Amino acid sequence: MDKAWNAGTKEKKKKTRARLAASLCHRRPQSPPLHLLHLSAAGCASSIVAGGCKMNSIIDMIDNDNFSIISQAAVVTNLMNIDNDVELNEILEDGIRDEDDDETSIYNNVELPSTFTNMEGTNLTIDENWIMTQSTIFRLLRAEIVEKLGYTPSYKKVWVGKQKAIEHVFGNWEESYVALPKYLGALQKFNPGTIVEWCVSRSNDVDEVEFRRVFWAFAPSIKGFHYFRPVISIDGTHLYGKYKGKMLIAMGVDGNNQILPLSFAIVENESYDTWDWFLSHVKNHVVKDREGICLISDRHGGILKAVNEHGSPWLEPRGFHRYCLRHFINNFYDKFHNSELKALAYRAGSQNQIRKFNSIMEEIGKLNPRAQQWLESHPLNRWTLAHDGGRRYGLLTTNLSEIFNSVLKGARFLPITACVQLTFYRMVHYFEVRRPLGSSSQAHGDTHTPHVVVKQVALMVKASAHSLRSFNREKCIFELITQRGRNVQVVNLEQKTCTCGKWEAFKYPCSHVLSACAKLSLNSWQYVDRCYSIEYYYATWASEFSPLPHEAYWPQSPFNELLPNLELLRNKKGRPRSTRLKNGMDIKEGRNANLCGICRQPGHNRKRYPSMPR
């Protein structure tokens, strides 16, 4: 009995010691002192902020007391390795092909002009490692701390450390507002022609000025816009730093479908006052005397009021205002909440032929007459490609502005001067990369940009299959019958029209026009708009930026002390949202909904197939 009891006791003690050892092995390490953790997080964050996720040490840069040099070094480290012109051929012209188009397979076999063969790999990609969300930065910081200290910190500790690192590298937000006027003054002095406009509030103390708004546009962008397509896209994006605000951007696109920011502004919010202020400066300093500019925007109330004012330069005949089709269709979806109607409405807006537009509108009317009435209640020339009159140059949305917003996403949580510096160095990078391409292409005898060359070569192959009948050879009037679809199109080379609508919409010949040119042995390139020429491409990017010397050579600030707008100070606990909430606009237009794997119909999936046993 005693032996049995002793054996049982020894066994219990053995199990107890094993449980104790196991608990000690899995016990959480003792938390390091709070100040040590914050310093570690700050050091890791500094490496990420300055090194683009490479975790490189920036001790030497931190020891530098010069705020401007620190900011420039940190921003340039990121900018010299990235470029953000996504493949605009798909984004800007998505959903506009009709049943006669079968060009995708042809594009893959087209050889680009010699000097542009590497352009897509150089300019049309996004470095996803640099455009980081707050959650990505948090995970990287936490992983670095765990690796170095063997301790898993809380979210709050990592956040506080990151904020301290930002202040260490870029200065705090209040110092950044003080530095901004002097920095923008230096840009104006060493880059003549650069425009800066201020809106400030002066108190009784003349030495203190409170920030309200600032507008800036770089001289090379202003000069280059003269050779752009006459289209401007505008959009606004949130700032995520210590002070709230909005950055407004006006964007252009060159003959090779590459974006170029034309002007920027930081304002308190999006309203009639801010948009009217911004658009007036865009007109006065960027557009100037150039008439016939097409302005593409969403239907924000402030924009609509500013654009539709009596005597507005954005209304016919001086200019043309068009809606972003994605935003417009999202407004339509918010009202009717029908995905099928939404897809049809987008197809209607993106059609280039009036007969196809009318057919789709009739289909919408059969499904919901009120939906058709709502669409027709808005001016058709503002949201449809078929009734646009060729003002959009085929650009349906404000995606080109939103593309650049993704570049700024990594900087919108930084102090204001660092954010402005990023726009400067980004522009320097654009011009530095694209200027040699334009000059080299001229030397090699290229006449047109790769964007239009690819389109035209593919259309030439397609044109050979059309049947053509001449009606008036002197006036160059032809009837064409397409091989696919057997549709009839009428081409008038003298008036530069084709009933398919593509020539007018995109400003380069469609396959029907190319077929007629081949019949008459005409050079079809004479009908391509000049904005697609290498001559214009070179002129767009020919201007140069000048670097800024030491701060000792900068001009004095126009304000003794610029204070931030305290009304914009964030007082809500927690970090600001860095990604917008998803809405109906995030559903891809013109694409099929999720279909059942069995019957290929929408509304249910394989598990919920109606005839499946429950």
Side-chain angles (χ1 to χ4, degrees):
M1 179 74 120
D2 291 340
K3 290 182 180 179
W5 186 85
N6 289 335
T9 303
K10 289 180 180 180
E11 186 65 25
K12 287 182 180 179
K13 289 182 178 179
K14 186 177 180 181
K15 291 181 178 179
T16 301
R17 285 194 296 269
R19 288 196 300 269
L20 180 59
S23 65
L24 289 174
C25 290
H26 292 88
R27 179 176 295 177
R28 186 176 182 177
Q30 184 177 0
S31 172
L34 185 62
H35 71 278
L36 177 61
L37 180 62
H38 283 174
L39 289 175
S40 175
C44 298
S46 300
S47 299
I48 290 176
V49 170
C53 305
K54 296 179 181 178
M55 303 292 184
N56 295 329
S57 173
I58 56 166
I59 296 176
D60 294 337
M61 187 165 64
I62 291 177
D63 290 339
N64 191 333
D65 294 330
N66 190 310
F67 169 80
S68 174
I69 301 301
I70 289 175
S71 301
Q72 291 178 18
V75 174
V76 168
T77 303
N78 291 320
L79 292 185
M80 297 313 292
N81 296 319
I82 67 168
D83 202 356
N84 186 56
D85 292 344
V86 227
E87 184 57 65
L88 293 183
N89 294 343
E90 295 180 3
I91 292 181
L92 301 182
E93 299 174 6
D94 184 31
I96 57 179
R97 297 192 179 103
D98 57 29
E99 65 268 21
D100 293 337
D101 292 329
D102 189 17
E103 305 165 7
T104 306
S105 60
I106 302 176
Y107 289 160
N108 297 329
N109 300 320
V110 174
E111 183 178 354
L112 297 180
S114 55
T115 53
F116 285 92
T117 30
N118 296 323
M119 175 174 284
E120 292 192 26
T122 304
N123 287 348
L124 305 182
T125 57
I126 299 179
D127 188 339
E128 297 291 351
N129 293 325
W130 185 80
I131 306 173
M132 295 182 296
T133 62
Q134 298 285 355
S135 58
T136 303
I137 295 175
F138 168 75
R139 288 196 298 269
L140 291 170
L141 289 173
R142 174 178 273 185
E144 183 78 358
I145 293 171
V146 171
E147 180 181 347
K148 290 185 176 181
L149 299 180
Y151 168 73
T152 304
S154 65
Y155 185 97
K156 181 178 180 181
K157 290 179 179 179
V158 176
W159 173 260
V160 171
K162 183 177 75 71
Q163 295 302 99
K164 288 186 176 181
I166 291 174
E167 288 194 13
H168 210 159
V169 176
F170 296 100
N172 63 39
W173 270 260
E174 289 72 22
E175 292 173 353
S176 188
Y177 276 95
V178 174
L180 181 61
K182 192 171 183 179
Y183 179 77
L184 286 175
L187 287 178
Q188 285 185 285
K189 178 180 179 180
F190 299 106
N191 291 272
T194 295
I195 301 297
V196 177
E197 295 285 355
W198 292 92
C199 178
V200 297
S201 175
R202 297 183 182 273
S203 61
N204 295 331
D205 188 349
V206 294
D207 292 335
E208 293 185 353
V209 176
E210 191 171 83
F211 175 83
R212 286 294 182 267
R213 305 167 192 163
V214 64
F215 170 96
W216 69 100
F218 300 109
S221 298
I222 297 174
K223 296 176 183 177
F225 177 68
H226 178 73
Y227 304 97
F228 267 36
R229 306 183 203 182
V231 180
I232 294 178
S233 169
I234 58 173
D235 195 25
T237 184
H238 291 277
L239 299 179
Y240 302 137
K242 183 176 180 180
Y243 293 89
K244 295 179 288 186
K246 286 290 190 80
M247 176 177 281
L248 308 183
I249 304 174
M251 192 78 64
V253 60
D254 69 3
N256 199 42
N257 245 18
Q258 296 173 140
I259 60 173
L260 174 64
L262 301 172
S263 60
F264 307 86
I266 292 179
V267 298
E268 63 272 24
N269 54 36
E270 286 190 74
S271 64
Y272 161 70
D273 289 335
T274 55
W275 276 115
D276 184 59
W277 182 82
F278 177 69
L279 288 174
S280 64
H281 287 313
V282 171
K283 172 61 180 176
N284 294 335
H285 301 303
V286 179
V287 176
K288 299 181 180 178
D289 297 330
R290 190 177 180 184
E291 299 288 341
I293 300 298
C294 176
L295 183 72
I296 302 178
S297 73
D298 59 30
R299 297 175 64 248
H300 187 279
I303 297 177
L304 294 181
K305 185 177 179 181
V307 168
N308 293 322
E309 281 187 325
H310 179 70
S312 169
W314 309 107
L315 295 180
E316 298 184 32
R318 299 176 60 192
F320 305 90
H321 184 215
R322 299 293 186 258
Y323 300 150
C324 168
L325 184 58
R326 291 189 68 207
H327 285 89
F328 180 79
I329 297 303
N330 187 55
N331 298 149
F332 172 80
Y333 180 78
D334 289 341
K335 187 172 183 63
F336 295 98
H337 301 284
N338 186 308
S339 298
E340 185 178 2
L341 285 175
K342 178 185 177 182
L344 287 172
Y346 190 87
R347 282 182 55 202
S350 59
Q351 289 298 327
N352 44 270
Q353 296 189 49
I354 293 179
R355 67 174 181 85
K356 294 181 179 179
F357 168 79
N358 293 336
S359 176
I360 297 173
M361 291 295 289
E362 291 177 4
E363 190 175 350
I364 293 174
K366 292 177 181 178
L367 292 175
N368 189 330
R370 289 180 56 250
Q372 182 182 8
Q373 293 173 3
W374 188 91
L375 291 172
E376 291 177 344
S377 67
H378 295 83
L380 297 182
N381 62 347
R382 291 204 174 186
W383 67 274
T384 69
L385 190 62
H387 294 87
D388 171 58
R391 305 299 177 181
R392 291 175 177 263
Y393 276 62
L395 303 178
L396 295 176
T397 70
T398 57
N399 281 359
L400 60 167
S401 296
E402 295 174 7
I403 288 168
F404 193 77
N405 289 345
S406 66
V407 175
L408 295 177
K409 188 168 185 177
R412 281 181 280 162
F413 63 89
L414 297 178
I416 187 170
T417 299
C419 194
V420 173
Q421 287 173 333
L422 185 140
T423 65
F424 173 64
Y425 288 107
R426 185 63 177 172
M427 300 301 297
V428 171
H429 180 60
Y430 276 148
F431 277 79
E432 186 67 16
V433 169
R434 296 169 183 171
R435 187 187 307 109
L437 295 174
S439 57
S440 299
S441 61
Q442 281 190 327
H444 283 80
D446 298 330
T447 59
H448 290 83
T449 62
H451 168 71
V452 76
V453 169
V454 169
K455 298 286 187 182
Q456 289 295 281
V457 172
L459 290 171
M460 287 175 186
V461 176
K462 186 179 175 183
S464 62
H466 297 331
S467 301
L468 182 142
R469 180 181 289 111
S470 175
F471 273 67
N472 190 324
R473 184 176 290 267
E474 293 180 356
K475 295 184 178 181
C476 304
I477 299 176
F478 297 90
E479 176 192 80
L480 292 98
I481 300 177
T482 62
Q483 183 184 41
R484 183 185 178 189
R486 308 302 295 176
N487 294 312
V488 178
Q489 305 294 350
V490 177
V491 173
N492 189 323
L493 295 180
E494 185 177 346
Q495 297 182 4
K496 297 184 179 181
T497 61
C498 177
T499 52
C500 76
K502 294 179 184 177
W503 191 6
E504 184 181 32
F506 301 109
K507 308 302 182 183
Y508 52 75
C510 59
S511 62
H512 317 113
V513 173
L514 294 176
S515 182
C517 289
K519 181 72 173 180
L520 298 176
S521 300
L522 294 177
N523 180 8
S524 62
W525 292 103
Q526 65 180 305
Y527 297 113
V528 177
D529 193 277
R530 287 189 300 173
C531 73
Y532 298 111
S533 68
I534 288 296
E535 177 188 359
Y536 269 46
Y537 180 86
Y538 172 75
T540 296
W541 306 102
S543 300
E544 299 179 3
F545 283 88
S546 297
L548 302 187
H550 190 277
E551 190 174 351
Y553 301 102
W554 293 9
Q556 291 296 319
S557 170
F559 313 115
N560 291 331
E561 185 176 6
L562 182 66
L563 303 177
N565 186 352
L566 296 180
E567 297 177 359
L568 301 181
L569 180 65
R570 295 186 188 275
N571 51 19
K572 184 179 179 180
K573 293 184 178 180
R575 70 170 177 85
R577 176 180 292 275
S578 59
T579 55
R580 63 178 177 82
L581 297 172
K582 299 287 185 179
N583 57 33
M585 197 174 65
D586 296 295
I587 302 173
K588 194 69 173 178
E589 297 86 352
R591 303 291 173 88
N592 292 330
N594 292 332
L595 303 179
C596 172
I598 298 175
C599 65
R600 308 303 299 169
Q601 297 297 318
H604 60 272
N605 55 24
R606 185 185 295 269
K607 291 183 179 180
R608 297 179 180 273
Y609 186 64
S611 61
M612 291 289 285
R614 298 287 181 179

